[in-house]
Amino acid sequence: MVRPQMLKLPEVLDEIGMSRAAFYRMRARGQAPRLRKLPNGQVRVSRADLDAWWESCTEQAA
């Protein structure tokens, strides 16, 4: 199955098992994957940014 390159925020939250509020708290601390805001106001997270963020979380926990 091919994964989309840009994920909607609900898809990201479902994948990482986190609430929207917790995600935005992490984002305020600079600890969340980078969001990209589209001209229509929607936000997306690139698959590459999410995967890199997951890797950094693994390294910090070790």
Side-chain angles (χ1 to χ4, degrees), residues 25-56:
R25 282 193 302 271
M26 285 183 63
R27 185 170 182 256
R29 293 189 304 257
Q31 299 173 334
R34 183 170 58 141
L35 293 180
R36 298 173 192 225
K37 193 167 190 176
L38 301 178
N40 64 3
Q42 295 180 358
V43 293
R44 298 286 188 272
V45 176
S46 77
R47 170 53 63 185
D49 287 346
L50 183 61
D51 290 345
W53 177 77
W54 268 122
E55 285 299 317
S56 72

